[in-house]
Amino acid sequence: MSKKKKQEMKEPPTNRNILWITYAIVLLFLGLAVYIGYFLRFQGPEVINNSYNARLDSFADRVHRGRILAADGTVLAHNEEDEDGNEIRVYDHGDVFAHVVGYSTKGKTGIEALANFYLLTSHVNLIEQAGNELAGKKNLGDDAVTTLDMDLQQAAYSALGDRRGAVIAMEPGTGKILAMVSKPDYDPNTLLNDWAALTDSSNTQSQLLNRAAQGLYAPGSTFKILTALEYIREHPEDYKNFHFDCSGVYHNGEYSIKCFQSEAHGSQDFVKAFANSCNGAFASMGLEMDLDRFRTSAEELLYNRPLPFSGFPYKESSFNMKAGADTWEILQTSIGQGTTLITPLHNALITASIANGGTLMKPYLLDRIVSAGGEEVKKFLPEAYGSLMTADEAAKLTELMRAVVTEGTGSSVRTGDYTVAAKTGTAEFETGRETHAWFTGFAPAESPRIVVTVLVEESGSGGKIAGPIARKLFDTYLLKK
């Protein structure tokens, strides 16, 4: 065979190699294009909006920061120019929305941080954008329309008064957060002047802390929702046969558990023990629990777990009891004391899952993004997180929570205008100091539209202090004319 023919026989493999290399390069480019598209569609805003991205604020050189609006279009934050032509951020309702709207100086918090990317993005028409660029003018940024209900926010702020604590309201069927108040508060309009005093080491008020999402508290008797759920799970056929005789103080060996103000509840079945928030009854239930299963149920209800609330700072709740815990830890944990801690936000989410038949909807604060011209740019839709419990379990807990209102500690929200399912709580946290007051519930009980959770620090009884605050929110939302 000639040398020329041998060379011709070697060429096809070389051509095939080139072809495979070409295919590989094309696939790499396609993969890169798909990734870039995915990044821009799903991850881009989150990454660009990350608080560690120092370049994002450079967008403010070309874009007037957009407005933040309540659900009804009321302006909550906007930009103005001072006498020297400098842009300043104005918070139209001051401290009423301080923690949830946040601030955009000294860093960014709240919705100012959550919506930062959108507020510094402009969707004015292309001709106007081009003209502004040529003229050296800034374009108008997009507006963020929130889920916040103006009337509810003001009602929550007013009802909490000058007491320390938090109020949160949400729609259980969608996850929309309707109101979020934390006190003590601050005026975001004077933040720069007040910053030194607010952050001084001698300041013990923690005005900058959003207690609704970041305040960790003993859940007190609101935790009995979880204890009751676990007891039902471990005694599915006979939990209604539970019986306890309450003398006001439950003794177990060297340990004693008192009911609130040592009230003797007498003969208690399962429903009455829950309605009356009988500490002795629930402490005795705890001693019957499988502690491994108890911990599993707690974590299914998002203790020791991240909450499905991305982009907004919060603290994780904690449940520390494990198998092998001693008697005192079991007694304390079963009634919501000990080392268990929860945020008002988390308590609201547990309550919302019960109201929604066991399914938790992811909480959210942004309803839509609109251009300066009013055109909708992006819509945020409700999204299910998953089931925290079965529909049957949710129905059984609703029945228990109805009894709290009709015959137990939740009488402050009892009304003929609508039905309420709730749990009150009075949480001890330090010897010699007044207890924290809790309320968490939803209405109407048979067709829930709103969840309200209230925490008032060092104020006494949940039923007497937190309940009336919740009542004002229920009235405001359900009795609108």
Side-chain angles (χ1 to χ4, degrees), residues 141-222:
D142 294 338
D143 295 336
V145 183
T146 70
T147 60
L148 296 169
D149 184 292
M150 195 72 197
D151 293 335
L152 266 182
Q153 183 78 10
Q154 291 177 322
Y157 186 85
S158 175
L160 191 54
D162 60 1
R163 291 168 289 197
R164 297 192 310 274
V167 181
I168 184 166
M170 62 184 293
E171 285 183 357
T174 64
K176 286 183 179 180
I177 293 178
L178 304 172
M180 183 184 285
V181 169
S182 175
K183 291 192 177 185
D185 53 47
Y186 61 93
D187 186 349
N189 291 304
T190 60
L191 185 68
L192 288 177
N193 292 331
D194 301 338
W195 187 259
L198 289 170
T199 58
D200 190 273
S201 59
S202 64
N203 181 359
T204 60
Q205 296 300 303
S206 301
Q207 294 98 324
L208 296 175
L209 177 71
N210 183 352
R211 285 163 163 79
Q214 296 173 297
L216 286 168
Y217 304 91
S221 291
T222 62

Side-chain angles (χ1 to χ4, degrees), residues 97-416:
F97 289 83
H99 292 92
V100 65
V101 168
Y103 53 79
S104 59
T105 54
K106 292 292 184 179
K108 292 178 177 61
T109 62
I111 293 170
E112 288 280 29
L114 180 68
N116 195 36
F117 172 78
Y118 304 111
L119 297 171
L120 291 175
T121 300
S122 179
H123 281 87
V124 298
N125 69 70
L126 294 176
I127 295 176
E128 184 178 348
Q129 284 194 47
N132 286 335
E133 290 286 346
L134 290 172
K137 295 181 180 179
K138 291 184 180 182
N139 289 301
L140 293 175
D142 294 338
D143 295 336
V145 183
T146 70
T147 60
L148 296 169
D149 184 292
M150 195 72 197
D151 293 335
L152 266 182
Q153 183 78 10
Q154 291 177 322
Y157 186 85
S158 175
L160 191 54
D162 60 1
R163 291 168 289 197
R164 297 192 310 274
V167 181
I168 184 166
M170 62 184 293
E171 285 183 357
T174 64
K176 286 183 179 180
I177 293 178
L178 304 172
M180 183 184 285
V181 169
S182 175
K183 291 192 177 185
D185 53 47
Y186 61 93
D187 186 349
N189 291 304
T190 60
L191 185 68
L192 288 177
N193 292 331
D194 301 338
W195 187 259
L198 289 170
T199 58
D200 190 273
S201 59
S202 64
N203 181 359
T204 60
Q205 296 300 303
S206 301
Q207 294 98 324
L208 296 175
L209 177 71
N210 183 352
R211 285 163 163 79
Q214 296 173 297
L216 286 168
Y217 304 91
S221 291
T222 62
F223 186 83
K224 289 170 185 169
I225 292 172
L226 176 53
T227 307
L229 175 61
E230 180 58 26
Y231 192 83
I232 290 170
R233 287 177 171 179
E234 294 191 26
H235 302 82
E237 304 299 328
D238 62 350
Y239 71 92
K240 288 188 175 181
N241 296 331
F242 174 84
H243 180 266
F244 182 81
D245 289 314
C246 175
S247 64
V249 182
Y250 171 64
H251 298 283
N252 186 288
E254 61 182 306
Y255 304 117
S256 297
I257 296 290
K258 293 182 179 180
C259 286
F260 184 63
Q261 297 182 336
S262 299
E263 179 182 357
H265 295 117
S267 179
Q268 300 288 284
D269 61 17
F270 192 66
V271 175
K272 287 182 179 178
F274 191 89
N276 293 321
S277 203
C278 179
N279 283 340
F282 276 81
S284 70
M285 285 183 208
L287 293 174
E288 298 181 34
M289 301 290 194
D290 180 316
L291 298 190
D292 280 329
R293 292 182 61 179
F294 202 176
R295 185 179 180 87
T296 296
S297 289
E299 293 180 347
E300 286 176 353
L301 267 62
L302 302 180
Y303 278 92
N304 305 330
R305 295 286 186 271
L307 300 180
F309 195 31
S310 61
F312 198 92
Y314 65 85
K315 293 285 182 67
E316 290 186 19
S317 301
S318 60
F319 179 90
N320 297 312
M321 187 171 67
K322 300 178 180 179
D326 62 29
T327 299
W328 182 243
E329 184 178 5
I330 296 171
L331 295 175
Q332 289 283 290
T333 301
S334 301
I335 61 172
Q337 296 293 161
T339 60
T340 304
L341 295 172
I342 193 172
T343 62
L345 170 64
H346 184 190
N347 227 343
L349 295 185
I350 292 173
T351 307
S353 70
I354 298 169
N356 199 41
T359 298
L360 175 64
M361 302 300 291
K362 292 182 178 180
Y364 66 106
L365 279 161
L366 297 181
D367 181 72
R368 62 190 183 278
I369 305 300
V370 297
S371 70
E375 181 182 355
E376 185 175 292
V377 174
K378 182 178 178 64
K379 177 70 174 175
F380 298 89
L381 299 174
E383 184 180 354
Y385 168 77
S387 296
L388 303 192
M389 63 194 72
T390 67
D392 181 62
E393 290 169 340
K396 289 172 179 174
L397 289 175
T398 298
E399 179 185 354
L400 293 175
M401 294 170 73
R402 277 292 293 134
V404 170
V405 177
T406 59
E407 58 186 85
T409 60
S411 60
S412 60
V413 294
R414 191 185 305 158
T415 173

Side-chain angles (χ1 to χ4, degrees), residues 46-67:
E46 183 175 348
V47 173
I48 295 171
N49 200 35
N50 191 290
S51 59
Y52 293 102
N53 183 3
R55 298 185 64 185
L56 179 58
D57 284 340
S58 66
F59 289 14
D61 296 335
R62 298 186 296 108
V63 177
H64 287 288
R65 189 174 184 81
R67 302 176 300 171

Side-chain angles (χ1 to χ4, degrees), residues 20-30:
W20 282 115
I21 291 171
T22 303
Y23 286 153
I25 292 171
V26 169
L27 286 173
L28 284 172
F29 274 107
L30 286 174

